[in-house]
Amino acid sequence: MNPKVVPQMADAEDVMKAINKRNGVTYAGLVLSRSGLERAIETDVDLLHVVVATSDTFNQKNARRTVEKGVEENSAVIRDAKNAGRPSAAVLATSFGCPYEGHVDETKVLHVVERFLNAGATEIVLADTTGMANPTKVKQMVRLFKENFGADTPLGLHFHNTRGLGLANVVAGYEEGVTTFDAALGGLGGCPFAPNAVGNVASEDLIHMLHEMGIATDVDLEKLLKTANWLERVMGKTLPGMVMKAGPAYETTKS
């Protein structure tokens, strides 16, 4: 990320240097441009999350270029990353709607998916960057994706809880066969270019919900909650996660 635009992400290299990597854990880094790729290649990051919005207005605010220019540049980024031995997941922001333009045509989203898959992306992530999605729309988009690119093409979903539908959207995606979801400890996150943005779905809330639904995750919820409470103290503010405040509903499944 350009440190002049998003100062919070100015020290990405220092963060990567400070991480003691563990076996079995994939460490991903956000890349929006050619310069982002060059910075990422100099680190020990395993996977690149290459991001383009599917709305011109949002992409102009987020990356200072149109969707077409963003797709063109980042398709080359994905190819070059692959040649450097770094796989890429292509993240399509505003896949479920844009706060500036409203509805984003599904065919436009699918066209961007196709371009990135052809460039060599190993995974597609449909991102609801600004909380525009609802469970019905999520189901429709997942079905369209599978109809066009097959059920075996890796698909992840990224939801923000801007309008309180984050967990409901996760359930909708899960019911359509998706098992990869982005989440953030304590519900941190939020895009600086999205009006009234709030954080991602809280990791501990997501895991708690899945455990209560009888879905095993191999995640220790108790440890996750302790870490979320620790993070709240570090941040010095109340985080939006719910289960860290109320506690688990019942004795839930551990790893």
Side-chain angles (χ1 to χ4, degrees), residues 119-143:
T122 58
E123 176 187 354
I124 298 294
V125 178
L126 299 181
D128 183 32
T129 323
T130 61
M132 306 290 284
N134 64 67
T136 298
K137 185 177 289 188
V138 171
K139 286 177 176 285
Q140 291 171 342
M141 281 303 302
V142 172
R143 289 170 187 169

Side-chain angles (χ1 to χ4, degrees), residues 208-225:
H208 173 263
M209 179 187 72
L210 294 175
H211 287 183
E212 291 300 318
M213 293 170 65
I215 300 167
T217 64
D218 291 330
V219 176
D220 189 317
L221 178 61
E222 183 179 351
K223 290 182 179 179
L224 196 61
L225 288 169

Side-chain angles (χ1 to χ4, degrees), residues 162-180:
T162 311
R163 293 172 175 83
L165 292 175
L167 289 178
N169 291 331
V170 168
V171 173
Y174 183 82
E175 289 177 344
E176 292 299 323
V178 179
T179 56
T180 300

Side-chain angles (χ1 to χ4, degrees), residues 96-164:
F96 300 91
C98 171
Y100 304 105
E101 297 181 12
H103 175 72
V104 175
D105 193 280
E106 291 85 355
T107 58
K108 187 174 184 179
V109 177
L110 296 174
H111 175 67
V112 176
V113 170
E114 184 175 25
R115 297 269 300 271
F116 282 147
L117 288 175
N118 289 339
T122 58
E123 176 187 354
I124 298 294
V125 178
L126 299 181
D128 183 32
T129 323
T130 61
M132 306 290 284
N134 64 67
T136 298
K137 185 177 289 188
V138 171
K139 286 177 176 285
Q140 291 171 342
M141 281 303 302
V142 172
R143 289 170 187 169
L144 280 172
F145 181 92
K146 291 185 176 184
E147 288 170 7
N148 283 269
F149 306 109
D152 293 332
T153 300
L155 173 64
L157 296 173
H158 174 114
F159 296 120
H160 284 250
N161 205 37
T162 311
R163 293 172 175 83

